[in-house]
Amino acid sequence: MQGPLQELANSVDPSRIRVLTVPFANKRLQMSHGIRNTTTDIIVFADDDAIWPPTLLPYVLACFEDQQVGGVGTSQRVQPCGEKLTIWEVLAAFRLTIRNIEIASSTHIDGGIPCLSGRTAAYRTVILKDPDFLHGFTNDLWLGKYHLNSGDDKFLTRWMVSHGWNTYVQVCKEAELLSTMKPNWRFLKQVLRWTRNTWRSDFRSIFTERYVWTKHPYVAYTMIDKFINPLTLLVGPALVSYLIYKSTLYIEDGGYHLPAWNIVVSVSDPRQWRGELGLTIVPRMAHVHAYGQAAPASVVQPLAHYLRARLDHLRVLLVRGSLWFRQWELIPAL
């Protein structure tokens, strides 16, 4: 694999581009090898499917004028793999739109962020060259026996918080990158991996390290909210079903006077959906290649919520890790 990449590098600028390799496929080993060979003050990690606008790098580097900033991220949106978005890419667009809103809010409120996304993030090289960081980064264990390969961006974000560095996110068009997503059902596997990494890392931030409580209380609140979500997503429908059942009984038999249709309408109030759609659909209309795609996007909004609920439940069951998506995501420590 090194040969074709080296040829590509040579065709662009052999004096400025080097291709480095590691003995076996492991993202954290690859990143740490790159860190050791970096000679610049700032290091930028980027996925191979991240497409930068020409203005992204200057806008990201500008944040480092603040000497307390250790890491910088960007906003993101979906780049279709084909001419139009598939339903799975629409779901991904919803996810990224909501994320952009969340990170902009948390950055404004208390300067924190749950995660500097690994799709593209910049860090001060001096932080990452710390031997303690490199050791912890490549020997990150879950439950004391599983080497973690994925979740590198969550580790980096936690390290910034625990070592007193500030983070920032450039949420603007000039620094908004494009990223492709799986255009088929395999997107669900990606989401499961992301949510599982989130649960594992947030558990550490809230209950083990605990720095986030004092440095970024709003971010801590959002993490707690994600912990509670799987429970509320189960209790909510169960409670509504119980109320509907009670409404079918006579009052003298312990039933409720509220009719079942009233309960159903109150739960599925269209005003609530319109308000939420206004926050999620409208911001991304300008990014959709065909304007007509905004309509099917609004139709699949309930599907997005349903899939999110089911994946939240599944991530709790599979928090120890699953090898069916990436064989090297969790490796038992020897």
Side-chain angles (χ1 to χ4, degrees):
M1 186 64 184
Q2 182 178 6
L5 291 177
Q6 190 63 60
E7 292 179 6
L8 177 62
N10 293 339
S11 66
V12 177
D13 191 342
S15 64
R16 300 180 62 187
I17 302 176
R18 285 189 298 160
V19 179
L20 306 176
T21 63
V22 293
F24 55 91
N26 183 292
K27 185 177 181 182
R28 296 205 189 195
L29 288 180
Q30 292 168 311
M31 293 174 68
S32 61
H33 190 47
I35 292 170
R36 292 187 179 96
N37 284 272
T38 299
T39 58
T40 56
D41 293 334
I42 305 297
I43 183 171
V44 181
F45 297 113
D47 284 353
D48 58 354
D49 60 350
I51 305 171
W52 294 2
T55 53
L56 183 140
L57 195 56
Y59 271 74
V60 168
L61 294 178
C63 301
F64 290 102
E65 293 181 4
D66 183 346
Q67 297 301 311
Q68 291 300 313
V69 171
V72 178
T74 70
S75 57
Q76 307 168 11
R77 60 186 172 94
V78 173
Q79 170 71 21
C81 292
E83 294 183 0
K84 291 187 177 182
L85 295 170
T86 67
I87 185 173
W88 304 104
E89 290 171 319
V90 169
L91 294 176
F94 272 118
R95 182 182 177 88
L96 287 187
T97 299
I98 293 173
R99 177 188 178 276
N100 290 337
I101 295 173
E102 289 178 346
I103 62 177
S105 300
S106 64
T107 299
H108 176 74
I109 292 173
D110 66 5
I113 181 177
C115 178
L116 287 170
S117 173
R119 290 190 183 98
T120 290
Y123 299 91
R124 292 189 186 275
T125 306
V126 65
I127 303 174
L128 307 190
K129 280 186 175 289
D130 183 349
D132 290 338
F133 169 81
L134 290 171
H135 176 77
F137 188 62
T138 54
N139 293 275
D140 190 17
L141 302 180
W142 174 249
L143 300 179
K145 62 178 180 179
Y146 293 106
H147 275 295
L148 292 175
N149 180 31
S150 63
D152 51 274
D153 49 3
K154 297 290 286 188
F155 183 95
L156 283 160
T157 307
R158 293 203 318 272
W159 188 272
M160 296 295 114
V161 175
S162 63
H163 288 72
W165 291 94
N166 294 335
T167 56
Y168 195 80
V169 177
Q170 285 283 43
V171 184
C172 58
K173 278 186 173 298
E174 292 80 2
E176 187 173 67
L177 64 85
L178 297 175
S179 180
T180 57
M181 298 289 180
K182 296 291 184 183
N184 49 40
W185 66 272
R186 294 181 183 276
F187 168 71
L188 298 180
K189 290 186 176 183
Q190 286 184 313
V191 175
L192 180 58
R193 177 169 58 88
W194 296 332
T195 54
R196 189 169 56 235
N197 287 333
T198 296
W199 200 94
R200 284 194 295 244
S201 179
D202 290 356
F203 184 89
R204 289 177 169 180
S205 295
I206 293 295
F207 299 109
T208 305
E209 299 172 355
R210 299 191 295 276
Y211 296 100
V212 70
W213 286 105
T214 54
K215 189 172 179 63
H216 304 301
Y218 177 75
V219 174
Y221 160 75
T222 62
M223 291 179 177
I224 291 294
D225 180 63
K226 291 176 182 177
F227 283 130
I228 300 175
N229 266 341
L231 176 62
T232 57
L233 290 172
L234 281 176
V235 173
L239 182 58
V240 170
S241 300
Y242 175 73
L243 292 175
I244 292 176
Y245 164 72
K246 294 288 284 186
S247 68
T248 61
L249 302 178
Y250 292 106
I251 295 180
E252 52 268 21
D253 293 332
Y256 296 147
H257 68 282
L258 201 63
W261 67 266
N262 201 322
I263 298 174
V264 173
V265 170
S266 63
V267 172
S268 57
D269 187 350
R271 290 173 297 180
Q272 175 185 350
W273 289 105
R274 284 200 298 269
E276 190 167 355
L277 289 173
L279 289 175
T280 56
I281 291 294
V282 173
R284 64 173 292 274
M285 278 186 177
H287 309 320
V288 178
H289 290 273
Y291 179 83
Q293 288 181 271
S298 63
V299 173
V300 301
Q301 166 94 359
L303 175 61
H305 284 281
Y306 176 81
L307 290 176
R308 177 185 176 186
R310 302 291 78 78
L311 289 171
D312 278 343
H313 298 146
L314 192 57
R315 78 174 181 194
V316 174
L317 297 176
L318 299 178
V319 70
R320 289 184 59 186
S322 174
L323 301 182
W324 53 266
F325 180 59
R326 280 192 173 181
Q327 292 297 323
W328 54 86
E329 181 178 342
L330 280 176
I331 305 173
L334 300 178

